[in-house]
Amino acid sequence: MSIASPPVPAPAADPGTTPDIEALQRHFDDTIAAEHRIEPRDWMPDGYRRTLVRQIAQHAHSEIIGMQPEGDWLLSAPSLRRKAILLAKVQDEAGHGLYLYSAAETLGADRADLTDKLIEGRQKYSSIFNYPTLSYADVGVIGWLVDGAAICNQVPLCRSSYGPYARAMIRICKEESFHQRQGYELLLTMMRGTDEQRAMVQDAVDRWWWPSLMMFGPPDAESPNTAQSMAWGIKRHTNDELRQRYVDMTVPQAEFLGVTLPDPELSLDPETGRHRFGAIDWSELKRVISGEGAMNRLRLARRRAARDDNAWVTEAATAYAEKHAAEKRA
Ligand SMILES: [Fe+2]
Ligand SMILES: [Fe+2]
């Protein structure tokens, strides 16, 4: 896997002359074709930049909003050990958001502007975080299924053509595998507990299974941006390919855990070695994305309050940074 910058420098225009766009485009195409990385200093087509900003911002927002469903259980975790694990996990998600906002900034995006767009509903975040966490078993199931789906989605992004995004994803994926393991370990513990605990786990699996399948996005036939994103090396696999990989990975884990995935049509195809699964209710995804999920309003209201109530911290930190920069210049 190469995540190095292109070895051949981009054709530079002499100052005062018009850049040769065709030569720059050729160099960009060659860089992508050679599986080298595009770096912030490189010329890139506007559409590539726009697509990346949209995708990275949506990803960053998902990490930050994704702190809320599990964060709701921080004060009710059943032991000090569970609380420490959950706290570390939720803090990791904050860190993921920060890496990704930094990656978006290398493309010229402004972090405060991205936050405003999120709060005003002009940019999206993963619809999975608009479901409520009704029991402590949800913490385990989110780690297992939601972080598990995130890993399937994100491991190929470590080879994304944009350098800062690919490098952020390498770090994020290492932490996501810890998240998935802590969730699975929590569920194994509950499944070895009482009947009531086992019922809690099964109930949580019943509620999160289908939304986790929707995390891969609409079916390929209805995903108009996929082809261009794959041609640009931003995306490496289609939504349906990743969803299939996730199902194949998760079914044996469910069997080992002793839970039933809520899909009567789930079966192993002996010829392909892959699992067939039932039809996904896409109207639910559309409804939740358009703001009608159980938690959409609360998630954004909290994010808005975090921005507004803590504005003084941002102001103080900005003033401090400016003062030190001025001292350095002097
Ligand atoms: Fe994350
Ligand atoms: Fe995570």
Side-chain angles (χ1 to χ4, degrees):
M1 180 173 73
S2 163
I3 52 164
S5 313
V8 185
D14 289 330
T17 62
T18 15
D20 181 351
I21 296 294
E22 267 173 41
L24 291 169
Q25 176 76 52
R26 253 196 322 278
H27 183 266
F28 172 86
D29 293 341
D30 292 348
T31 305
I32 299 278
E35 297 271 321
H36 292 300
R37 296 289 163 265
I38 304 294
E39 295 296 334
R41 62 171 182 269
D42 296 330
W43 180 90
M44 59 190 86
D46 286 344
Y48 178 81
R49 188 185 298 274
R50 264 200 314 276
T51 301
L52 271 171
V53 169
R54 181 172 44 84
Q55 181 172 331
I56 296 174
Q58 181 167 331
H59 192 164
H61 298 330
S62 302
E63 301 283 357
I64 298 296
I65 295 285
M67 295 166 73
Q68 291 187 34
E70 288 171 285
D72 284 344
W73 283 92
L74 279 173
L75 297 179
S76 320
S79 67
L80 183 58
R81 178 172 173 268
R82 290 291 169 199
K83 186 178 289 211
I85 295 171
L86 185 56
L87 195 56
K89 200 249 185 198
V90 172
Q91 282 180 329
D92 280 355
E93 305 300 5
H96 298 173
L98 298 184
Y99 304 155
L100 289 163
Y101 285 126
S102 297
E105 282 177 320
T106 66
L107 292 157
D110 176 74
R111 192 179 298 210
D113 175 57
L114 296 180
T115 298
D116 291 346
K117 284 182 172 138
L118 165 68
I119 290 169
E120 290 158 17
R122 289 187 285 139
Q123 280 178 343
K124 304 263 179 235
Y125 57 90
S126 178
S127 66
I128 193 85
F129 301 119
N130 292 315
Y131 292 84
T133 38
L134 301 181
S135 84
Y136 189 70
D138 288 37
V139 168
V141 169
I142 288 179
W144 174 38
L145 295 182
V146 176
D147 288 275
I151 291 169
C152 278
N153 255 329
Q154 293 174 8
V155 165
L157 295 176
C158 297
R159 294 187 295 118
S160 168
S161 61
Y162 187 57
Y165 191 30
R167 289 188 287 274
M169 291 319 304
I170 290 171
R171 206 161 155 183
I172 288 173
C173 283
K174 284 185 184 157
E175 294 177 345
E176 296 299 0
S177 29
F178 154 67
H179 296 173
Q180 200 213 11
R181 277 157 179 267
Q182 66 81 35
Y184 197 69
E185 187 267 348
L186 191 165
L187 297 176
L188 279 174
T189 307
M190 288 186 80
M191 291 301 285
R192 290 193 203 109
T194 63
D195 284 347
E196 198 185 350
Q197 286 175 306
R198 275 186 287 277
M200 278 168 72
V201 173
Q202 183 61 57
D203 170 65
V205 170
D206 290 347
R207 284 180 289 107
W208 290 93
W209 172 248
W210 289 106
S212 77
L213 292 183
M214 296 175 200
M215 284 176 70
F216 298 90
D220 292 349
E222 289 165 40
S223 178
N225 298 326
T226 292
Q228 180 61 76
S229 282
M230 286 179 71
W232 274 331
I234 296 175
K235 216 170 154 168
R236 296 288 176 178
H237 305 280
T238 71
N239 297 352
D240 287 334
E241 283 167 12
L242 292 169
R243 194 169 5 251
Q244 183 67 53
R245 188 180 287 192
Y246 169 72
V247 172
D248 292 333
M249 178 186 93
T250 308
V251 169
Q253 294 172 356
E255 278 164 15
F256 185 80
L257 196 57
V259 295
T260 308
L261 296 172
D263 178 359
E265 290 176 50
L266 197 59
S267 66
L268 184 68
D269 181 340
E271 272 176 31
T272 60
R274 317 218 76 174
H275 292 84
R276 296 197 201 100
F277 51 95
I280 296 171
D281 177 6
W282 294 112
S283 65
E284 177 178 323
L285 181 68
K286 281 185 191 138
R287 197 167 47 75
V288 178
I289 284 183
S290 66
E292 296 307 313
M295 306 301 279
N296 297 56
R297 283 173 198 83
L298 180 69
R299 299 288 181 241
L300 284 185
R302 280 187 182 162
R303 187 67 197 85
R304 181 187 294 272
R307 180 195 61 183
D308 297 348
D309 298 348
N310 300 318
W312 66 274
V313 179
T314 311
E315 280 162 28
T318 308
Y320 182 81
E322 275 165 9
K323 190 178 117 189
H324 275 260
E327 277 171 8
K328 231 178 181 175
R329 279 197 300 274

